[in-house]
Amino acid sequence: MEGTPLTVRYFAGARAAVGHAEEAIPAGRTLDDLTTELTQRHGDRLAAVLRVASFLVNGVTCHDRQAPLPAGATIDVLPPFAGG
């Protein structure tokens, strides 16, 4: 798992579940791998948010959860937002 770490940024309910705005995660994984690791690190409260969240990889919506995440990428965790 080499390369520049991934930056995971948390918003709204994800931020509340984790307790901070962002963290670095080693590169070399898919989005599915990443969500599994984040659940192991932060527990069930974050797992519930991740099940309904959208993910941006370098500002682009990620639809292929099995594609390798590029080293150095920024992944935004976006829970559903209320309001309009």
Side-chain angles (χ1 to χ4, degrees):
M1 294 191 191
E2 298 178 26
T4 305
L6 305 171
T7 300
V8 181
R9 300 190 305 185
Y10 301 102
F11 296 88
R15 179 187 230 163
V18 172
H20 50 268
E22 71 178 50
E23 67 183 310
I25 303 288
R29 63 199 71 228
T30 66
L31 187 57
D32 278 344
D33 296 335
L34 178 65
T35 58
T36 297
E37 182 172 337
L38 294 175
T39 296
Q40 291 170 348
R41 282 184 181 208
H42 300 292
D44 292 339
R45 186 171 175 204
L46 181 61
V49 174
L50 295 176
R51 282 192 289 275
V52 296
S54 297
F55 300 89
L56 301 181
V57 177
N58 292 332
V60 178
T61 302
C62 181
H63 297 288
D64 183 357
R65 296 176 62 99
Q66 291 299 313
L69 295 168
T74 298
I75 293 84
D76 294 328
V77 180
L78 305 171
F81 294 94

